[in-house]
Amino acid sequence: MSGGQGPNGASGPTGPTAVRVDVWLWSVRLFPTRSAATAACRGGHVRRDGDLVKASQRISVGDELRVRRPGRERIVVVTRLLEKRVGAPVAREAYEDHSPEPAPQLLAAPPRRDRGAGRPTKKDRREMDRLRGRGMASAEALGETSDDLRPGRAARDD
């Protein structure tokens, strides 16, 4: 073991004082691959103490990381530095999770159509869009009415 690492690639008393952000995020299993962690940093989805970070920046024990994932933001405080990917129980000990509970609708399974039911009707599609949080709400936010959105209808200037 080189670099003062303990078992499972964890830093010991003589281990490193800082680790790359993307390596640590991958090591503690917040991302399935290191390239996914790098892409999240590049995309502005990872913040350290409120500031955007690059994948190559170093983190140390005590840093707070905010990781945005689809539908959820994870807030973790680094308690242990890891350079290699470890098992889930060991990875869980490397950070304190201060994330808020996810919204209940995200925990529920999405509605599924019966196999062989065929193509969804327009009504079915609109109901699915409404359940997913898409659809007319975005058009109404732009100030458009349902009459403006109908095909073949010209907007009237009265």
Side-chain angles (χ1 to χ4, degrees), residues 119-136:
R119 184 176 175 183
T121 64
K122 194 170 193 176
K123 181 180 178 184
D124 293 339
R125 241 182 15 254
R126 286 182 177 157
E127 287 176 2
M128 287 187 288
D129 285 345
R130 186 177 46 79
L131 288 173
R132 291 181 183 139
R134 298 184 286 201
M136 290 299 293

Side-chain angles (χ1 to χ4, degrees), residues 101-155:
E101 290 295 318
Q105 64 265 24
L106 295 177
L107 296 175
R112 298 280 178 194
R113 289 181 53 81
D114 294 331
R115 188 171 176 84
R119 184 176 175 183
T121 64
K122 194 170 193 176
K123 181 180 178 184
D124 293 339
R125 241 182 15 254
R126 286 182 177 157
E127 287 176 2
M128 287 187 288
D129 285 345
R130 186 177 46 79
L131 288 173
R132 291 181 183 139
R134 298 184 286 201
M136 290 299 293
S138 60
E140 290 170 1
L142 296 173
E144 298 172 345
T145 63
S146 58
D147 290 336
D148 297 334
L149 299 175
R150 283 195 207 152
R153 299 270 180 158

Side-chain angles (χ1 to χ4, degrees), residues 23-146:
V23 172
W24 189 83
L25 290 171
W26 167 75
S27 297
V28 297
R29 298 177 170 266
L30 291 177
F31 286 94
T33 63
R34 184 172 165 195
S35 60
T38 303
C41 292
R42 223 182 274 130
H45 299 292
V46 180
R47 293 178 178 268
R48 179 184 58 198
D49 299 325
D51 299 325
L52 291 175
V53 295
K54 292 183 179 179
S56 61
Q57 288 181 332
R58 304 273 179 180
I59 60 169
S60 56
V61 173
D63 287 345
E64 178 189 81
L65 297 176
R66 291 178 175 260
V67 180
R68 273 191 315 165
R69 299 296 302 253
R72 186 169 185 208
E73 182 179 42
R74 300 282 306 265
I75 303 169
V76 295
V77 176
V78 179
T79 59
R80 185 172 166 193
L81 297 178
L82 300 174
E83 291 180 317
K84 293 182 180 178
R85 193 165 172 98
V86 294
V90 176
R92 182 63 188 93
E93 295 171 0
Y95 62 89
E96 294 174 10
D97 195 353
H98 297 290
S99 305
E101 290 295 318
Q105 64 265 24
L106 295 177
L107 296 175
R112 298 280 178 194
R113 289 181 53 81
D114 294 331
R115 188 171 176 84
R119 184 176 175 183
T121 64
K122 194 170 193 176
K123 181 180 178 184
D124 293 339
R125 241 182 15 254
R126 286 182 177 157
E127 287 176 2
M128 287 187 288
D129 285 345
R130 186 177 46 79
L131 288 173
R132 291 181 183 139
R134 298 184 286 201
M136 290 299 293
S138 60
E140 290 170 1
L142 296 173
E144 298 172 345
T145 63
S146 58

